[in-house]
């Protein structure tokens, strides 16, 4: 029996003791590394294990054999294995030949996780390949292959490294059979080129765009010391990076006062709504399945952020088990905010067709905004000419963009002037006209509800429901209210998959907009530690909440779930204009006044009027 | 009988004929001016009239005697009359003396509209004054007088130009009587200085802010010709300004294709929720009562917008009835949008304590965003030491910031490739698990509903309700769907005042998020033409919708209502951090692909890395 070790340098494994004490005593905890590995043999199914090593003591401090009903997250080199298995599979290659690809077109296999595995197949580790053809007649590797979808999906058994099944995809439309309706010849004849590299498109690029530059001649107002300690406009925080979550903020303070212990994007799921098998297997968990940090872009100057930029590197694990520097995965820069300024910690991930830009934005008024921007290319399948579909929108000839959802979960571990916090929600309600409390009809009342046990809660914008994370032991000297931060969850649509079915069971976290749970070590992931091929969310927020822990005046964690039901429009093709989601955490009686009030009222000196030759300066009246 | 004429140069008065023909024939319509005036006499109540003059023909083409149950909008010089009346009123001056203002403090009277007038008082034209004291010991006219609220409101009869009543304000808190509970001596002793000019605050300004400059060395990408025609990145539109609505966009086109005929902010109401009389009279209609354009700021370089700026002037009417240039009331500039760019048409209004920044933002992906930012100073009243209140939040010693709402109405007159349009709304709904249409549980369906008669409709984010304005006669060649623009109304709280009471009756428009009405001439105002002292919304969207006009394949108007229930937090004092609301109109199968796809992928050349002395460049791992 061989030991195949894949050490994974994740963030510090925290313990309750550390969690309580790090901030208080500023004592350096021992450095811990988590090793994730399979124990494999020629004739058995690999056994996935995890060990935690105290690097200072050079000692294993925890060891765990993971149950057989879960799958370790995918490694990116398994994707390469899928491509190789496709190349080796005669059945698959024969199927591709049937399509009679046009001259100069080449096959592209895009590896995907397999989605939720069917009951009874638990020990199998599968991957699926979405297939496209790329027009290589112009020899440009950036030519958009998504414009030529092939109606076939090869499925690989990752243990055998073999293609074990080839699914034929339906290519029909409204009124056509949901099964078996496929085409296997000249399926690309009706497809059209749809380049996304602007310089490759027919007609060329527009010529009248002049540069907008951000210049900071005196340098930035932020400072980075001790490798990860960022200080800016009374804010201070640590930034870290790990292969699963990407950029994480720690120990976020304003003017020395603690606001957050930790803030991260915890999970996202992208379930597809096309009812025709095997499309229900298109459901990625982009953080749990393969690691958002692993997919982080290496940012480069002048592409992603403007102005004076600080990049941070990360570390991931290579296929040889060695740590590998992942350069420029986080970008730090300042932005003018129209009124006030903000500091942006940003990372971008590319997951097959999609791109997500995640940002933590701290502003001069004490607010923290979590922003997700979705762009990239919508996931498409082949549809026959003249057809339309109930499962998506035809965005280009032969190309059906399937309806889907993106549902995100952020994890916020608050520390509002200390770890013992309480979540309350407030609503504003009209009051019936009455002589005693509402003699003139204009009164409305604020109703407050304390969340006393761990639970899932929902947005309610119609009653202006606002959640507040407060420190019940500390009162604002003016208002008498407990000091806190507030946020209004985005009232976005929840998961649409039918309750009890595979897609729904895997993403129980998507059933509420807000979860409040009691802090426990290692509970970082909204959909649980193991999402790859899961059949049920295990150890996710649903389970954490089900403990019905006391969360009043406690070390609690707040989870925020929001998302986008994405029924594609033609304009989403070939590259989707960015969709932006922002969740704003704002001080609410945390400070004794607007903390930005001491911001100098300097006039910007670099702005200029347009030149007369460009624009009339004459008075106009209309 | 004298004729006292106050001509008001508003925008072109459109007629159905013009509305239909201007775009088609590009024929210059005659120039029309609306004159608004009172006919006054020594012993009678002034009679308000309006005339429309054809300036080219020098002829009156319309004349209207306005009914006695409505009041003409206020003129800003009536505010000055209130201040003078206060100065002349012995009763009021005696009342102020009772307060025994501290040494060096001076009285400030802030004029407000009177809110809705009581039944039976219809012929009265009243104004009220909110009273504060300003600390002039440092001789600075910018010292924040809102920090010292006086519990008194003088009421002026505008016809008599006399103070006719002095209301004493409650200064109690929870448990205290709602009426009569007031204090009249040394009411400012417990109040504290709260300067908002940063240079005046104790402790001074922060010193570590370095400039962020926007430089456009090659100039802007936009072009302004013919005084008001703006062209930018395939967009073209006219911008105009009028005293009531401020900046308005007209004839908005992309690549020559019509998108909107006209877009404006139509109305906003700010009702206060303090149940104690006379606070129910704090309900402004900031567009209808006095005109947002009249209150527009004169913008100045380096203060409001960064980069290369084009300012537009407006024209308003002075107290002598003469037209008066209102310089730099609109700002036009480009902004980097993170991904893509946008063009911003912005104006800022100051209404007593509040400031609103309104912007129309056009982006390179064919989107139009309407943005409202609210900032300024929350409206406050005096509260006795140690008290808290159900009617607001104590934001500083002695200062109660009252709960209130801001409810905005935007008017969108669409012309999606022509005037005949239809509004539909789409929702996404889960489908029960069933063998026929949802065998795997992941399917969801899109349900479409056509709005066929004029009506009020609501946001429904939980079902992902999206409104589409389509041209039913034109289909997208890929999807087969009618071409259109979509938007998701913000699901903000509606008006909280008890139905049937004065505040609610005056703002029936605030009962729905979306109204669809049939276009009719002169229907520009969501709460009706006359809001000042109204007792009931008349001729507003509620009445327009009640006609039950056919709006399918018709020249329709879409109204969007959204707002903020603002229960102040301490951080809103002394200046409220900006609250931002955005409504986004996006092409939905209007184009044949993403219209931004031909944007060149140029790298920005001006961005730089931080210097080593500022930030560690070392690899960090955590």
């Amino acid at each position: 029996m061989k030991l195949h070790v894949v050490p994974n340098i994740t963030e510090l494994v925290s313990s309750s003791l550390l969690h309580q004490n790090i901030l208080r005593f500023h004592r350096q905890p021992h450095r811990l590394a988590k090793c994730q590995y399979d124990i494999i043999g020629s004739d058995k199914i690999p056994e996935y294990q995890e060990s935690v090593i105290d690097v200072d003591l050079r000692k294993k401090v925890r060891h765990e054999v993971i149950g057989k009903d879960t799958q370790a997250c995918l490694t990116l080199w398994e994707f390469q294995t899928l491509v190789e298995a496709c190349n080796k599979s005669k059945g698959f290659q024969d199927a591709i030949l049937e399509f009679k690809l046009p001259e100069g077109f080449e096959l592209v296999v895009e590896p995907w996780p397999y989605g939720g595995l069917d009951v009874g197949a638990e020990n199998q580790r599968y991957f699926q390949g979405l297939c496209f053809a790329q027009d290589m007649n112009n020899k440009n590797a950036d030519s958009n292959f998504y414009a030529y979808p092939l109606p076939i999906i090869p499925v690989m058994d990752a243990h055998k490294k073999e293609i074990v099944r080839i699914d034929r995809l339906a290519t029909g439309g409204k009124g056509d059979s949901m099964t078996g309706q496929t085409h296997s010849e000249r399926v690309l004849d009706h497809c059209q080129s749809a380049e996304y590299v602007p310089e490759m498109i027919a007609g060329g690029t527009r010529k009248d765009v002049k540069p907008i530059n951000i210049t900071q001649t005196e340098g930035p107002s932020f400072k980075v010391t001790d490798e990860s300690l960022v200080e800016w406009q009374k804010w201070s925080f640590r930034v870290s990076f790990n292969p699963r979550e990407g950029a994480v903020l720690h120990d976020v303070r304003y003017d020395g006062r603690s606001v957050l212990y930790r803030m991260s994007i915890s999970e996202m799921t992208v379930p597809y709504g096309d009812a025709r098998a095997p499309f229900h297997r298109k459901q990625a968990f982009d953080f749990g399945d393969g690691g958002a940090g692993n997919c982080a872009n290496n940012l480069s100057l002048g592409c992603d952020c403007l102005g004076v930029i600080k990049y941070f590197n990360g570390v991931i694990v290579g296929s040889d088990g060695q740590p590998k520097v992942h350069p420029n995965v986080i970008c730090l820069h300042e932005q003018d905010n129209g009124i006030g300024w903000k500091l942006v910690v940003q990372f971008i991930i590319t997951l097959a067709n999609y791109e997500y830009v995640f940002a933590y934005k701290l502003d001069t008024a004490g607010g923290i905004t979590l922003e997700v921007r979705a762009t990239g290319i919508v996931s498409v399948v082949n549809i026959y000419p003249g057809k339309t579909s109930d499962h998506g929108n035809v965005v280009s000839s032969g190309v059906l963009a399937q309806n889907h959802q993106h549902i995100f979960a952020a994890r916020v571990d608050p520390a509002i002037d200390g770890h013992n916090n309480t979540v309350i929600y407030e609503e504003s309600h009209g009051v019936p006209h009455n002589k005693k409390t509402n003699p003139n009809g204009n009164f409305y009342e604020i109703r407050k509800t304390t969340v006393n046990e761990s639970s899932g809660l929902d947005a309610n914008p119609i009653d202006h429901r606002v959640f507040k994370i407060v420190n019940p032991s500390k009162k604002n000297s003016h208002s008498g209210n407990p000091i806190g931060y507030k946020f209004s969850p985005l009232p976005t649509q929840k998961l649409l998959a039918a309750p009890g079915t595979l897609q729904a069971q895997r993403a129980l976290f998507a059933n509420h907009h807000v979860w409040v749970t009691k802090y426990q070590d290692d509970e970082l992931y909204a959909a649980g530690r193991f999402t790859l091929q899961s059949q049920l969310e295990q150890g996710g927020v649903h389970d954490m909440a089900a403990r019905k822990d006391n969360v009043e005046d406690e070390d609690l964690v707040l989870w925020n779930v929001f998302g986008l039901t994405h029924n594609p429009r033609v304009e989403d093709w070939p590259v989707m204009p960015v969709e932006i989601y922002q969740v704003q955490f704002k001080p609410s009686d945390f400070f004794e006044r607007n903390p930005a009030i001491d911001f100098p009222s300097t006039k910007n000196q670099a702005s200029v009027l347009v030149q007369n030759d460009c624009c009339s300066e004459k008075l106009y009246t209309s």
Side-chain angles (χ1 to χ4, degrees), chain A:
Chain A
M1 202 176 284
K2 284 192 301 179
L3 192 66
H4 178 63
V5 179
V6 181
N8 199 344
I9 299 172
T10 60
E11 65 168 338
L12 286 171
V13 177
S14 55
S15 72
S16 282
L17 193 68
L18 289 176
H19 189 255
Q20 296 299 330
N21 291 343
I22 285 175
L23 301 180
R24 278 185 213 142
F25 304 111
H26 296 277
R27 200 178 288 160
Q28 187 95 357
H30 278 191
R31 187 163 186 79
L32 304 179
K34 183 186 280 180
C35 301
Q36 303 172 305
Y37 51 95
D38 290 327
I39 294 184
I40 55 175
S42 57
D43 56 353
K44 75 187 285 286
I45 287 161
E47 189 171 65
Y48 177 63
Q49 306 197 1
E50 289 189 358
S51 303
V52 175
I53 310 297
D54 183 318
V55 178
D56 296 321
L57 298 177
R58 295 172 172 271
K59 206 178 127 181
K60 181 154 75 178
V61 293
R62 202 166 75 194
H63 177 76
E64 199 181 353
V65 180
I66 309 296
K68 289 202 197 309
D69 56 340
T70 55
Q71 290 280 339
C73 64
L74 67 87
T75 55
L76 289 176
W77 51 96
E78 286 178 294
F79 277 1
Q80 188 52 37
T81 308
L82 169 65
V83 174
E84 288 160 9
C86 286
N87 290 341
K88 283 190 297 199
S89 163
K90 180 155 186 325
F92 176 70
Q93 291 298 327
D94 287 348
I96 295 298
L97 283 177
E98 281 177 47
F99 290 130
K100 297 193 174 58
L101 300 189
E103 183 71 26
F105 279 59
E106 292 178 10
L107 171 72
V108 175
V109 176
E110 185 180 75
W112 271 53
Y114 188 68
L117 206 63
D118 303 320
V119 174
E122 285 77 4
N123 283 329
Q124 301 303 332
R125 186 173 176 91
Y126 283 173
F127 288 91
Q128 59 184 338
L130 272 51
C131 296
F132 304 89
Q134 190 172 29
D135 180 358
M136 292 304 286
N137 285 302
N138 53 13
K139 313 254 183 271
N140 194 320
D142 287 330
S143 184
N144 181 12
F145 54 80
Y146 293 108
Y148 303 99
L150 294 170
I152 188 169
I153 289 185
V155 175
M156 174 183 77
D157 180 321
H159 299 141
K160 296 181 182 159
K161 302 185 178 177
E162 278 172 15
I163 301 301
V164 292
R165 209 178 67 237
I166 295 171
D167 290 338
R168 299 289 183 158
L169 308 184
T171 51
K174 277 180 190 162
D176 291 331
S177 156
M178 292 229 298
T179 52
Q181 177 82 21
T182 190
H183 297 81
S184 60
E185 258 193 55
R186 312 195 65 84
V187 292
L188 302 183
D189 282 9
H190 55 297
C191 296
Q192 299 174 334
S193 162
E195 300 302 349
Y196 52 78
V197 175
E199 287 68 24
M200 290 175 70
I201 63 171
T205 60
R206 58 181 81 183
K207 305 299 176 206
D208 59 346
V209 182
K210 296 175 185 171
I212 297 178
N213 296 325
I214 314 281
T215 51
Q216 297 176 264
T217 47
E218 297 177 26
S221 301
F222 63 76
K223 188 167 84 169
V224 182
T225 55
D226 195 23
E227 298 183 359
S228 64
L229 178 63
V230 180
E231 290 168 280
W232 177 79
Q233 298 305 326
K234 304 189 187 178
W235 284 107
S236 72
F237 59 90
R238 294 272 178 180
V239 58
S240 77
F241 177 89
N242 71 69
R244 180 153 174 163
E245 298 159 293
V248 176
L249 300 194
H250 307 262
D251 194 15
V252 179
R253 289 164 181 269
Y254 190 97
D255 225 355
R257 287 174 65 195
S258 171
V259 177
L260 302 178
Y261 179 73
R262 189 181 194 276
M263 187 180 218
S264 58
I265 318 288
S266 177
E267 190 54 89
M268 62 178 285
T269 186
V270 185
Y272 281 77
D274 191 326
R276 302 168 298 176
F279 295 129
H280 62 296
R281 293 214 183 84
K282 287 175 77 170
Q283 182 188 21
F285 287 76
D286 293 305
F287 284 62
D289 282 359
N294 282 321
C295 302
N297 289 0
N298 304 114
L299 305 172
S300 87
L301 207 56
C303 291
D304 321 287
C305 311
L306 301 183
V308 178
I309 312 298
K310 160 71 182 170
Y311 290 112
F312 294 91
N313 296 329
V315 176
I316 55 172
V317 181
S319 61
D320 55 358
Q322 293 298 309
K324 200 173 89 176
V325 174
H326 200 7
N328 291 7
V329 283
I330 304 172
C331 158
L332 176 74
H333 74 297
E334 289 170 286
Q335 284 180 6
D336 174 72
N337 200 18
I339 293 175
W341 286 13
K342 59 192 172 192
L343 184 73
V344 182
V345 179
Q346 179 169 300
F347 68 108
I348 303 179
I349 63 176
T350 302
L351 299 154
N353 49 302
Y354 259 100
E355 300 216 5
Y356 301 94
V357 184
F358 296 99
Y360 307 100
K361 299 184 170 183
L362 295 91
D363 66 50
T364 45
I368 303 171
T369 298
L370 193 145
E371 183 183 86
V372 178
R373 283 181 283 167
T375 178
I377 300 179
V378 285
S379 188
V380 295
V381 295
N382 199 299
I383 185 167
Y384 244 54
K387 302 275 184 186
T388 59
S389 173
D390 290 329
H391 303 114
N393 200 19
V394 178
V395 294
S396 182
S397 182
V399 175
L400 176 70
Q402 294 166 313
N403 297 335
H404 59 284
Q405 297 185 280
H406 306 249
I407 301 182
F408 303 90
R411 180 181 183 276
V412 181
D413 185 348
I416 305 294
D417 254 352
H419 288 279
N420 279 21
N421 294 163
T422 299
V423 173
I424 60 171
Y425 60 86
E426 290 187 4
E427 294 181 344
S428 297
H429 286 270
V431 172
H433 198 187
N434 76 87
K435 277 193 182 160
K436 190 161 180 289
T437 66
N438 195 13
N440 305 298
N442 64 314
F443 178 62
Y444 65 89
E445 63 173 343
I446 299 175
R447 292 187 200 155
K448 303 186 189 199
T449 308
T450 299
V451 180
N452 40 43
E453 65 178 27
S454 56
S455 46
L457 300 146
D458 289 315
N460 178 10
I462 294 306
D463 292 324
H464 191 59
R465 184 180 288 180
V466 175
F467 287 81
K468 292 186 177 176
I469 313 164
V470 302
N471 184 326
S473 310
K474 303 199 177 171
K475 301 272 190 280
N476 184 288
S477 78
H478 298 310
S479 69
N481 292 323
I483 60 163
Y485 263 67
K486 68 172 183 176
F487 90 109
S488 299
L490 300 173
T492 52
Q493 188 164 41
K494 295 190 266 186
L495 195 80
L496 282 164
T501 60
L502 197 55
Q503 281 194 349
Q505 290 291 93
R506 302 181 73 200
L508 298 175
F509 78 92
N511 288 336
H512 288 293
H513 297 116
V514 175
W515 299 85
V516 181
T517 63
K518 166 99 176 60
Y519 175 86
Q520 278 201 8
D521 282 353
D522 295 326
E523 288 190 340
L524 295 173
Y525 310 127
R529 281 166 76 193
F530 302 105
T531 61
L532 190 75
Q533 295 183 186
S534 62
Q535 290 168 344
L536 173 68
E537 175 182 304
Q538 291 186 55
V541 284
H542 180 268
D543 290 344
M544 299 174 207
R547 289 195 301 258
K548 301 280 174 205
D549 290 328
N550 173 50
V551 288
E552 210 179 325
D553 198 13
E554 263 292 359
D555 189 0
L556 61 85
V557 177
L558 180 139
W559 308 74
N560 176 221
V561 176
F562 57 95
L564 163 65
T565 297
H566 188 183
N567 306 328
R569 53 190 175 130
V570 172
E571 288 82 358
D572 289 335
W573 185 256
V575 174
M576 169 189 164
V578 68
E579 294 276 344
I580 304 179
Y581 288 80
Q582 290 190 329
V583 186
Q584 300 185 320
F585 296 85
K586 297 184 180 183
S588 183
D589 296 9
F590 182 80
F591 296 106
E592 298 286 310
R593 64 174 184 185
N594 179 343
I597 200 68
D598 65 340
F599 220 77
S601 53
T602 327
K603 255 192 173 182
N604 179 273
Q605 300 299 321
S607 296
V608 295
L609 292 177
V610 287
Q611 298 300 306
N612 285 324
D613 59 342
C614 133
C615 309
S616 159
E617 289 295 318
K618 280 198 295 178
L619 171 73
Y620 83 97
T621 59
S622 63

